[in-house]
Amino acid sequence: MGDHDVSPNPKGSFRKFLEQLSGAGKAIGVLTSGGDAQGMNAAVRAVVRMGIYVGAKVYFIYEGYQGMVDGGSNIVEADWESVSSILQVGGTIIGSARCKDFRSREGRLKAAHNLVQLGITNLCVIGGDGSLTGANIFRKEWSGLLEELAREGKISTEEVEKHGYLNVVGMVGSIDNDFCGTDMTIGTDSALHRIIEVVDAIMTTAQSHQRTFVLEVMGRHCGYLALVSALACGADWVFLPESPPEEGWQENMCIKLSENRARKKRLNIIIVAEGAIDTQNKPITSEQIKELVVTQLAYDTRVTILGHVQRGGTPSAFDRILASRMGVEAVVALLQATPETPACVVSLSGNQAVRLPLMECVQMTQEVQKAMDERRFKDAVRLRGRSFENNLNTYKRLAIKLPDSQIPKSNCNVGVVNVGAPAAGMNAAVRAAVRVGIADGHKVFAVYDGFEGFAKGQIKEIGWADVGGWTGQGGSILGTKRTLPGKYLEDIAAQMRIHGINALLMIGGFEAYLGLLELSAAREKHKEFCVPMVMVPATVSNNVPGSDFSIGADTALNTITDTCDRIKQSASGTKRRVFIIETMGGYCGYLANMGALAAGADAAYIFEEPFDIRDLQSNVEHLTEKMKTTIQRGLVLRNESCSENYTTDFIYQLYSEEGKGVFDCRKNVLGHMQQGGAPSPFDRNFGTKISARAMQWISTKLKESAGRGKRFVSDDSVCVLGISKRNLLFQPVAELKKETDFEHRIPKEQWWLKLRPLMKILAKYKASFEVSDAGQLEPVQPRGPEEPATI
């Protein structure tokens, strides 16, 4: 917290970090350009604060490139407080505009003149591929433009020498997620939030009237939003520019819709990207689709065009954290750049911040368009990247059921069980598991009420249609309990025997992990447990060893962030007030730490970083200083089990006493609202994809032993499936044991502790922050054998 900062890297690296990265004497210009996207403000805030933190000057360039060309009051130095309270605001506070002037050399000459006068030779551009391409042209022409200005006598030859080269770092802000090389662009997750909110609302009315809805979402050249929202809501049909429907789709679609109606499904949802086309590159419009359904099937059909709603609203927690990480990384990249460094984009690969060569990404993005124009649709999908391809394949498997006669039977029975506390997204995971299981020829059995229900025989076969409409439901429909299997081993083994269960898929949190260990230890005694068993992590606490993320944590994080936004608003009304908020998570500080980063908190107390009275004291002093500025409010998060004695009440009383006359205090315990609510788009998709993958693993294992009645006794037949850095990994529980702190129910190593200094720096504390290696540009999309953890 204070000066004795306990962070995951050795003391020495702090000095090295500051010397390596002094921004003294440097000036950075930050601009947002092109269409706006939620989260741009979080990126601007991170660039400004990180820039000031390392000693650079940071300038706002208002109205994108137009402001750079016009100069004057459009380029203004920013200070710490100029980016206060913008984290939760959608759009961009520095404005964005499409700019004709910058496309001409005269325009760029004016822009160069305006920048040189302020000594700005570092640009951070937040926008789409057009904006980034413009920045790269500008960078290449820079020295020529300066020479021309010197010839015209507008600047001196010394200035040409001094400001000889321009560094450019880009961040992709675009709700379409249409930029190759990046898993997620800033704004995509928030746009999905808007779409899913609408779909959830439409589903209730369509359910009442037995209607068909055609929903048009944004994406002129990219079907990402359409595809992922179709995956997240289990839509009946989806139209994408990259993957047009085959000839005769009209008939196929109508058959599919009527089959679904025959299965007692009261509503149909069809999602259309605004750029949808057929195989002849002719547009497919939402009106056309409506006409088709009305004339062929006579269903009551409505069209809803979402339009600019998708760009609006507050950024999601994911976008705020993404943009904050990217903004800090962008400043680091600018400070490490040399005249030889090509322009780069900072981006996310799996869970890692990476830098990629800007022009290669732009070229690849243009390749996709070219492939689509030339009707090479397979190539278009491939070039979009593996996450797009995986999404498309998963959607197809889960949306369309083959007739039973066409599914080869495996004669295997697979059990699916929920264990632990409820987490949003569990039902999406169950749905995916059931459908992939059925498509692979298994019978799938649902186990109700966790291991307790398992022991009592609350087990029923579950069909394809039984899980329809489950993706958007919060909680756990199968029911879940924290009870461990240890005391019911006899009964559970008997039930496995009675139902002939050949494999188990568990969806749950730390209890599921412990349960898996207990079942695996009981294999010697009970041969029934000698079957493939896999666990999919689902808990708001995100404390399962073997995975960076767990289903439900994103939804909880959004709940915390929304609540903090409201609380900040109330605090800024009263002035000089500090709120202390207690979050869930057991001993795991993930929610408190990431919630603090997403909500712009002043401090977060977590178990993983021990703190004492001196830290509390220094935080109070920090807040006292803050109250003298224009930002007269404070927000402090505390994880529920971060300290036995420094309870939320204790901290509240300490702050109240110490802050007397300077600020007053309020406290708030968020409690179980963090476990409830409809799952976020991230959790629906993550749950769907990871659970489908787990069922595929089970099928592969069962195929290997087909007909041989093989017993599974090796460690690699009891696994946790998780995301680790960039890859999806199946890790044997036996190996994960040594990475687990069982007393506190957390993994010994946690990746997000590396982001802790980030939160402190953005809250104006000194902290040691590990930076990535200088100038390490990665190739765009290496195609290795490992599975990418695309989210």
Side-chain angles (χ1 to χ4, degrees):
M1 296 273 136
D3 301 324
H4 38 287
D5 181 281
V6 199
S7 71
N9 41 357
K11 262 286 175 269
S13 65
F14 186 28
R15 294 270 70 84
K16 199 170 80 199
F17 166 58
L18 271 192
E19 281 149 19
Q20 264 182 340
L21 283 190
S22 163
K26 294 196 172 177
I28 299 172
V30 59
L31 71 147
T32 51
S33 169
D36 70 324
Q38 307 96 321
M40 280 184 165
N41 286 329
V44 169
R45 169 180 178 268
V47 170
V48 169
R49 291 195 169 172
M50 184 65 173
I52 292 171
Y53 179 84
V54 294
K57 280 186 165 186
V58 187
Y59 290 86
F60 283 150
I61 299 174
Y62 286 98
E63 312 306 338
Y65 288 118
Q66 194 61 54
M68 203 194 289
V69 175
D70 297 344
S73 61
N74 288 304
I75 308 178
V76 180
E77 190 174 348
D79 61 19
W80 196 270
E81 289 160 48
S82 26
V83 289
S84 166
S85 305
I86 68 170
L87 195 56
Q88 62 270 33
V89 181
T92 160
I93 57 152
I94 55 178
S96 175
R98 311 259 178 209
C99 173
K100 274 210 194 84
D101 300 350
F102 194 74
R103 292 197 178 146
S104 67
R105 193 175 156 97
E106 296 86 276
R108 293 194 288 274
L109 195 65
K110 280 186 195 159
H113 189 211
N114 292 329
L115 294 184
V116 168
Q117 284 174 314
L118 295 166
I120 301 173
T121 54
N122 296 282
L123 274 192
C124 180
V125 184
I126 308 162
D129 55 349
S131 316
L132 299 182
T133 313
N136 193 52
I137 294 170
F138 194 39
R139 187 187 73 89
K140 283 188 176 150
E141 290 181 351
W142 182 258
S143 51
L145 292 170
L146 294 201
E147 281 162 15
E148 193 172 325
L149 288 168
R151 279 200 302 276
E152 292 174 13
K154 288 189 176 152
I155 59 173
S156 65
T157 42
E158 289 86 65
E159 283 177 303
V160 178
E161 292 286 294
K162 193 178 166 201
H163 306 303
Y165 65 98
L166 179 72
N167 294 319
V168 171
V169 172
M171 281 184 262
V172 191
S174 150
I175 64 164
D176 293 343
N177 202 18
D178 55 358
F179 195 77
C180 290
T182 65
D183 277 353
M184 284 294 261
T185 59
I186 296 167
T188 307
D189 187 64
S190 303
L192 286 170
H193 272 260
R194 297 299 93 78
I195 295 170
I196 294 301
E197 283 156 17
V198 170
V199 173
D200 284 354
I202 279 177
M203 279 192 161
T204 53
T205 161
Q207 201 82 34
S208 317
H209 293 278
Q210 291 205 12
R211 281 196 172 131
T212 296
F213 269 86
V214 181
L215 267 166
E216 185 181 303
V217 301
M218 280 186 163
R220 267 189 318 236
H221 308 295
C222 177
Y224 183 87
L225 290 177
L227 176 56
V228 175
S229 44
L231 196 58
C233 72
D236 297 72
W237 203 270
V238 65
F239 291 92
L240 315 169
E242 294 88 343
S243 180
E246 290 148 20
E247 296 293 319
W249 60 269
Q250 290 88 341
E251 194 184 347
N252 294 342
M253 183 180 81
C254 291
I255 292 170
K256 170 94 198 314
L257 295 179
S258 51
E259 275 174 6
N260 281 351
R261 277 291 164 97
R263 287 199 196 109
K264 301 274 187 291
K265 187 175 179 189
R266 294 177 59 92
L267 75 160
N268 304 109
I269 291 209
I270 299 166
I271 293 184
V272 193
E274 60 180 327
I277 48 176
D278 63 16
T279 46
Q280 301 308 305
N281 280 22
K282 291 196 181 65
I284 297 176
T285 66
S286 27
E287 277 303 326
Q288 248 172 295
I289 297 164
K290 176 188 165 174
E291 287 305 306
L292 180 72
V293 177
V294 171
T295 49
Q296 297 289 317
L297 300 170
Y299 289 170
D300 183 357
T301 307
R302 303 292 154 104
V303 173
T304 301
I305 296 174
L306 292 188
H308 281 75
V309 166
Q310 295 161 85
R311 284 192 191 277
T314 176
S316 64
F318 183 94
D319 272 331
R320 298 182 195 194
I321 292 165
L322 172 69
S324 301
R325 286 175 73 181
M326 302 291 97
V328 166
E329 184 69 26
V331 172
V332 173
L334 283 172
L335 297 186
Q336 290 177 338
T338 64
E340 284 69 56
T341 319
C344 74
V345 271
V346 289
S347 125
L348 196 64
S349 167
N351 187 17
Q352 301 277 92
V354 293
R355 298 180 202 170
L356 302 162
L358 185 140
M359 280 330 284
E360 276 181 45
C361 295
V362 168
Q363 268 149 5
M364 211 160 146
T365 305
Q366 289 162 351
E367 287 287 312
V368 181
Q369 192 51 51
K370 202 171 151 221
M372 281 162 30
D373 294 341
E374 292 169 7
R375 309 220 293 264
R376 293 182 285 116
F377 296 108
K378 286 244 171 8
D379 292 349
V381 170
R382 204 193 69 243
L383 286 164
R384 272 274 178 247
R386 285 187 287 193
S387 88
F388 193 86
E389 227 169 329
N390 290 353
N391 281 331
L392 190 54
N393 295 335
T394 307
Y395 172 74
K396 285 177 180 165
R397 290 204 73 175
L398 296 176
I400 296 161
K401 180 182 186 292
L402 289 170
D404 287 334
S405 57
Q406 285 179 33
I407 301 175
K409 294 285 166 277
S410 69
N411 300 322
C412 291
N413 298 343
V414 181
V416 177
V417 57
N418 287 355
V419 184
M426 275 184 163
N427 300 321
V430 172
R431 168 183 176 268
V434 168
R435 292 198 167 175
V436 171
I438 291 171
D440 284 349
H442 314 312
K443 278 188 174 172
V444 183
F445 287 83
V447 179
Y448 293 85
D449 296 334
F451 288 120
E452 222 172 283
F454 208 151
K456 291 182 191 151
Q458 297 174 326
I459 303 169
K460 259 206 337 254
E461 189 181 344
I462 186 165
W464 184 278
D466 297 334
V467 290
W470 279 28
T471 44
Q473 309 276 337
S476 159
I477 298 173
L478 294 184
T480 179
K481 285 237 177 351
R482 287 178 178 270
T483 327
L484 293 172
K487 51 182 181 186
Y488 302 113
L489 290 171
E490 295 287 332
D491 299 339
I492 293 175
Q495 291 298 337
M496 296 219 11
R497 202 163 50 246
I498 294 164
H499 292 92
I501 287 179
N502 307 97
L504 263 186
L505 172 65
M506 276 175 229
I507 298 164
F510 205 82
E511 280 84 7
Y513 172 69
L514 294 174
L516 209 47
L517 283 166
E518 288 183 3
L519 293 179
S520 127
R523 275 178 162 182
E524 280 170 30
K525 220 170 136 197
H526 302 281
K527 64 174 191 307
E528 290 82 1
F529 299 139
C530 297
V531 297
M533 295 191 261
V534 63
M535 168 196 167
V536 167
T539 162
V540 296
S541 308
N542 197 20
N543 62 340
V544 177
S547 189
D548 289 354
F549 291 108
S550 59
I551 299 165
D554 183 71
T555 305
L557 206 50
N558 276 297
T559 305
I560 293 168
T561 310
D562 291 347
T563 312
C564 288
D565 286 350
R566 292 183 180 195
I567 286 171
K568 270 168 79 171
Q569 210 166 25
S570 95
S572 61
T574 358
K575 293 274 186 293
R576 301 230 295 240
R577 176 163 285 176
V578 175
F579 271 91
I580 293 151
I581 295 173
E582 180 185 305
T583 69
M584 279 180 147
Y587 284 100
C588 175
Y590 179 82
L591 289 178
N593 187 67
M594 299 308 253
L597 189 54
D602 296 285
Y605 299 113
I606 60 173
F607 166 76
E608 291 87 348
E609 185 175 293
F611 57 97
D612 58 24
I613 196 75
R614 291 186 300 268
D615 293 303
L616 292 169
Q617 182 60 38
S618 91
N619 288 140
V620 170
E621 284 162 13
H622 194 95
L623 284 164
T624 308
E625 282 307 301
K626 186 176 173 181
M627 295 300 160
K628 294 176 185 164
T629 69
T630 54
I631 320 168
Q632 297 182 344
R633 55 172 167 64
L635 185 65
V636 175
L637 271 63
R638 176 190 175 274
N639 158 269
E640 58 184 355
S641 307
C642 65
S643 160
E644 206 176 337
N645 295 313
Y646 297 139
T647 59
T648 302
D649 285 330
F650 176 91
I651 293 176
Y652 163 69
Q653 285 165 337
L654 177 94
Y655 271 57
S656 300
E657 184 59 39
E658 294 291 313
K660 263 198 184 134
V662 184
F663 57 80
D664 63 352
C665 252
R666 293 287 183 274
K667 64 172 195 258
N668 202 335
V669 176
L670 297 185
H672 277 75
M673 61 187 277
Q674 296 164 85
Q675 274 182 11
S680 65
F682 180 95
D683 279 332
R684 294 181 195 199
N685 282 317
F686 181 49
T688 299
K689 281 155 68 169
I690 196 168
S691 176
R693 185 63 193 90
M695 187 56 90
Q696 284 171 339
W697 177 86
I698 286 177
S699 298
T700 312
K701 286 277 182 220
L702 292 173
K703 259 203 199 86
E704 288 167 12
S705 74
R708 293 207 300 277
K710 172 181 165 197
R711 281 194 196 175
F712 289 87
V713 287
S714 61
D715 285 347
D716 68 353
S717 60
V718 189
C719 285
V720 173
L721 169 57
I723 281 191
S724 174
K725 293 207 171 67
R726 302 192 196 177
N727 300 319
L728 270 178
L729 289 182
F730 287 91
Q731 299 180 75
V733 278
E735 287 173 22
L736 289 172
K737 252 164 120 168
K738 56 182 182 293
E739 296 173 22
T740 309
D741 169 353
F742 285 99
E743 187 195 342
H744 300 105
R745 302 160 54 97
I746 51 176
K748 287 179 183 169
E749 295 275 311
Q750 301 188 84
W751 68 273
W752 52 267
L753 284 167
K754 280 207 166 76
L755 298 189
R756 194 153 166 77
L758 210 78
M759 182 211 100
K760 295 181 186 175
I761 288 171
L762 296 176
K764 222 173 184 172
Y765 285 92
K766 287 266 178 280
S768 59
F769 179 57
E770 266 184 69
V771 291
S772 28
D773 304 339
Q776 284 303 303
L777 286 191
E778 306 220 350
V780 185
Q781 281 197 327
R783 284 223 183 248
E786 70 284 338
E787 286 185 58
T790 40
I791 301 160

